Each structure stands twice: as C-alpha cells, then as structure tokens.
Amino acid sequence: MAPRDGAGQEQSSRGIAIIGRVPAWNVAAIDSLPELAERLELSLEQLQWLADVRGLERSVNSERLRNDRYRLLPRASGVPRVLEIPKGRLKEVQRWVLREILNQIPTHPAAHGFVRGSSVRTHAEVHSGQAMVLGLDLKDFFASVRRAQVKAIFRAAGFETEVARTLAGLCTNTTPRHVGASRLLATPHLPQGAPSSPALANLAAFALDRRLSGLAYAHDLLYSRYADDLTFSGPMPGRGRRRFLVALATEIARDEGFAINERKTAMHPAGGRQQVCGVVVNARPNVPRRDYDRLKATLHNLAAAGPVDRSEAAALAGRIAWVASLNPARGAKLREKYAKIEWSE
C-alpha cells in the first residue's frame, strides 16, 4: 500500500475538508471499481450487491437477500433502539474499510470515543477538578450521518466519485419497512452495529468538534466528545452565559447535521457530584461510590456462597479492572475479595 501525498483542498459542506484527487493520508490506493472489487476479493456483481446500489435492502421481503440482520432494543423513551448488524461477508468488507482506510484518517483531538489511545477515562480526565461540568447529548448520533456525508469522507480520502459512492454504500444502510424504524432510518445512514460506523461518525463530526472546541476556547472552557456525549467544563458561568452557551452549541450541532437531546442536558457544579460518561470527576476520575459498594458486596456474597459458576469470572474481572483503572486502591481491595471466591469446575 503506497502512501498518497497531499494536494489542494476544496471545503466540503459538512465534516472534514475535501482534498483534491490525492490525499495526505496513507489510505489504500484504489482508482476504479474493478480494482476495489479485486482488493475485496469480490466480483463486480457481488460488490454492487453488498453496496446495495439498487436500494433493495429497504424493500425485499426475503431475509436471504438482505445484507443486515435487525434487533430492537427497548429504551426508556419507549422508542426502541434499532441495531443493524451486518452479515458475515459485509462485516468483513467493513472491517477492511476500517483497517485500510478509516484508521489512517486522523480524527479531531477532542474526539475520545473509538479512537486508538483514547477512552472514557481520557474523556473524563479532561474535565476533572473543574468548577462546572456541562454535559450535552447528541440524538441518534449514527443515524444522523447520511450517505452523502460518508461519500464526502471517502472523496476527502482521494477516491474517485464512483469508488467513493460504492464505499459509502458498503458502510451505510436503509432499514427495511418491516422493522418499523423511524424516518431517519428509512433513508441511507450509518448503521449502529457496523464496525465501520464509529470511525465514520467521528470523521463526520470533525467540523462539529472543531467548532465546539472554538466555542469552548472563546469562553475559557474545555471541550471533549465521547461518541454522542459532549462535555464542557471550566469556571462556573452565570445563568445567562450558560443559556447562551447551550443555545449556541445546539445551533452549531444543528448546522452540522446533528441534534441535541435537550432532556439530557445537565450542568453539574463542584458542590455536587460531577459525572462524565458515568465517571465521577470532582477531584480526579473515579467510579461512583454506589457502584463500588455494590460490586464489593457482590464479591463478598459470592465468596460466602460456596462454589460459584466460573462463567461469571470474566465479567467480574472486567468490572474490577475498570475500577482499578480509575482508582488502584479500590481495585486492590476488590481483587482481594475476588481471590477468596471458590469457583466450581
């Protein structure tokens, strides 16, 4: 895979800039659909079917002819979350796109979700020990990214129009009518469940992150984003300034093709518990005391109960590791209790 060096720019309507014909990123060099099909070890017909160039996913009745499976997950709002899970071959193709193209394109520094070297912890650390933490939430984050935006990202990576359009088709989906999905899902969008969607969503949100970072800087605040979670922190603003900040962030999000879920907007002063993605950040990143106490009690009860099914071991060890990553002292206490559990063979 040869590096492709940068050229001139033209600005896209949303997201990252379009960079001429030759990108500055070390992405796979593919100049035609036959070449793309060859790299993916597909025939042209198979490539077109997986990219759903005829829009069949929305209307076909046969499960065999669909490229995705669908699961509805209940939500407190009453509107179920739709998981669109690609079948085997399409998932392999999306993983190739992620590995050979998307992982080579840098995200904005404010993005911490689905970014190598970043995590919930690094997102939370940005906002530790601040007088005020303001959290906003993007509604329907993945589904808000349209196929045209995805195509623009691949054009920005230097691919010709037809190749970019096909790559966008491979990474987007139109939910079938029988699923009963919203109007948003009835048009081509990023599917929640595809391995390529998180990286594409971050790239589609590049301009959003850039503008919100600028907004934070203008108000002496810090900003970072983890997936759909937007967080500002810094000195406590007055009520009027706070309302102005939220209103302007909402307007910027709308201008970039996203919507703020107003019901989830929350401001946390230092006098109360400040949380970012479930991590307490009043002094430093820490697990909530209630969660720690519950896990400690669970481990104590399992140790007292006698032999415990070993199938629970991995999940418990993962929860302990998460606590230890935030608070090593608490993690050590939990590991002591974990070591006392007797596992059944």
Side-chain angles (χ1 to χ4, degrees):
M1 183 174 67
R4 309 174 83 187
D5 299 322
Q9 293 188 1
E10 65 179 275
Q11 191 68 30
S12 64
S13 59
R14 287 181 183 148
I16 59 181
I18 302 276
I19 304 182
R21 259 184 59 70
V22 189
W25 308 310
N26 192 32
V27 300
I30 296 170
D31 297 316
S32 68
L33 290 183
E35 189 175 350
L36 176 60
E38 182 180 358
R39 291 293 296 272
L40 294 173
E41 299 181 350
L42 300 169
S43 68
L44 268 177
E45 291 75 17
Q46 289 173 319
L47 177 63
Q48 290 172 334
W49 177 59
L50 289 175
D52 197 22
V53 294
R54 292 188 292 168
L56 295 177
E57 187 79 17
R58 174 71 174 154
S59 58
V60 295
N61 294 320
S62 173
E63 170 67 26
R64 184 176 60 85
L65 295 177
R66 296 195 183 106
N67 291 319
D68 295 81
R69 295 184 176 91
Y70 300 90
R71 288 178 56 197
L72 300 180
L73 303 180
R75 287 195 289 193
S77 64
V79 180
R81 184 188 305 277
V82 179
L83 280 186
E84 303 161 86
I85 306 165
K87 294 180 181 178
R89 191 67 186 96
L90 179 58
K91 181 177 286 188
E92 289 177 12
V93 167
Q94 291 169 342
R95 284 175 174 160
W96 182 94
V97 172
L98 175 64
R99 182 178 65 253
E100 300 295 332
I101 300 174
L102 301 177
N103 283 346
Q104 314 306 320
I105 305 174
T107 57
H108 192 279
H112 287 253
F114 322 115
V115 177
R116 192 175 301 155
S118 297
S119 63
V120 168
R121 176 173 180 165
T122 63
H123 174 52
E125 282 176 340
V126 173
H127 308 286
S128 296
Q130 299 296 323
M132 178 278 302
V133 173
L134 174 65
L136 297 93
D137 181 83
L138 294 176
K139 189 186 302 183
D140 299 314
F141 180 48
F142 290 111
S144 296
V145 180
R146 321 313 298 161
R147 182 172 292 174
Q149 293 170 266
V150 176
K151 177 187 170 186
I153 290 169
F154 289 117
R155 287 286 291 122
F159 295 104
E160 297 298 329
T161 300
E162 285 304 312
V163 175
R165 180 181 292 118
T166 301
L167 287 168
L170 292 168
C171 297
T172 55
N173 185 50
T174 306
T175 310
R177 296 187 182 94
H178 81 278
V179 176
S182 66
R183 182 182 301 177
L184 202 59
L185 297 180
T187 53
H189 60 276
L190 284 184
Q192 186 167 347
S196 50
S197 288
L200 281 166
N202 273 342
L203 294 173
F206 189 97
L208 173 70
D209 290 332
R210 182 181 60 204
R211 294 177 67 183
L212 291 182
S213 294
L215 174 64
Y217 181 81
H219 289 265
D220 297 319
L221 300 174
L222 301 170
Y223 164 77
S224 67
R225 178 180 60 81
Y226 189 95
D228 56 5
D229 182 275
L230 315 176
T231 306
F232 295 86
S233 66
M236 174 66 75
R239 181 175 299 179
R241 187 177 170 212
R242 193 162 65 239
R243 287 176 178 170
F244 173 77
L245 179 68
V246 172
L248 195 50
T250 300
E251 182 180 341
I252 289 171
R254 185 184 305 115
D255 190 44
E256 294 300 331
F258 298 98
I260 297 294
N261 188 342
E262 296 179 0
R263 292 181 303 155
K264 293 188 177 182
T265 298
M267 195 278 295
H268 305 284
R273 186 169 67 176
Q274 298 173 319
Q275 284 191 242
V276 174
C277 288
V279 177
V280 176
V281 296
N282 289 70
R284 59 181 176 81
N286 207 344
V287 67
R289 180 76 198 199
R290 182 178 61 180
D291 294 351
Y292 168 70
D293 287 342
R294 284 178 177 173
L295 180 54
K296 184 170 66 173
T298 296
L299 296 171
H300 174 81
N301 292 337
L302 289 174
V308 178
D309 191 333
R310 190 170 289 278
S311 63
E312 297 185 44
L316 285 170
R319 292 171 64 187
I320 293 170
W322 168 241
V323 173
S325 72
L326 297 173
N327 190 318
R330 284 184 174 180
K333 291 179 181 178
L334 294 176
R335 288 194 174 107
E336 288 179 6
K337 292 186 174 295
Y338 181 84
K340 296 177 181 179
I341 299 174
E342 180 184 354
W343 301 103
S344 62
E345 297 300 329

